[in-house]
Amino acid sequence: MAEAPVDIIERQLQEIIQDLYEISVQVYGYQGPETSEALLHKIKSLTQHLIQISHTIPHFPASIPPEVIEYVESGRNPDIYTREFVELVQKSNEHMRGKMLAFGSFRDVLAEEIGSGLPELKEEVERVVRETGGRK
């Protein structure tokens, strides 16, 4: 079974993080020319992993909204962006639900008034109300 694109990216990121960690350990314990070969090997490994991920990213099926990228680049937590976005969507949904209820109520009142004012249209009005989710 083929590896999922997210799993591929995750594995490649883990390799890059591991390379960076090992480079930082080697730089911290640098002892001159005798350790430079290992450090050079790790830098080459990091370069190869960065090249790999740069070739994988264009085939990644997900897109990140520019707002999230700006949020992260400005040093903010993307989880906060997500929470604020969810709260905004909830408010919008509540507002839209209120509009739907108001229009439904208006439809029912209008149907009642049309039905009492024009009895010959009562059956047609009841059909329209039923087909639009009304109470009749």
Side-chain angles (χ1 to χ4, degrees):
M1 184 162 101
E3 201 174 5
V6 172
D7 295 333
I8 293 170
I9 298 287
E10 183 177 354
R11 181 182 43 77
Q12 290 176 340
L13 285 172
Q14 288 172 345
E15 291 170 349
I16 290 170
I17 291 168
Q18 183 64 33
D19 285 343
L20 289 170
Y21 174 75
E22 290 175 10
I23 288 171
S24 70
V25 168
Q26 289 179 1
V27 167
Y28 181 75
Y30 188 72
Q31 298 173 359
E34 59 271 4
T35 58
S36 64
E37 188 65 35
L39 182 59
L40 182 61
H41 174 70
K42 273 297 152 194
I43 292 173
K44 286 181 180 179
S45 174
L46 173 64
T47 305
Q48 285 305 108
H49 287 131
L50 289 171
I51 290 170
Q52 274 182 332
I53 202 166
S54 71
H55 291 307
T56 305
I57 293 290
H59 306 292
F60 190 66
S63 63
I64 301 172
E67 297 86 11
V68 174
I69 293 172
E70 290 172 16
Y71 222 78
V72 171
E73 285 178 346
S74 66
R76 298 177 74 187
N77 187 339
D79 292 337
I80 294 171
Y81 174 84
T82 303
R83 185 182 69 230
E84 290 173 352
F85 182 76
V86 167
E87 289 171 357
L88 181 66
V89 168
Q90 285 175 335
K91 285 180 184 177
S92 176
N93 286 347
E94 289 172 8
H95 181 73
M96 192 57 69
R97 183 174 186 274
K99 281 184 172 182
M100 287 173 48
L101 291 174
F103 277 113
S105 177
F106 174 72
R107 175 203 55 223
D108 294 342
V109 169
L110 182 63
E112 193 174 307
E113 292 299 319
I114 290 175
S116 64
L118 301 167
E120 66 273 6
L121 295 178
K122 188 168 182 110
E123 286 182 29
E124 184 67 22
V125 168
E126 288 176 0
R127 184 188 64 77
V128 169
V129 169
R130 254 193 328 274
E131 289 180 5
T132 57
R135 59 185 168 159
K136 293 187 179 184

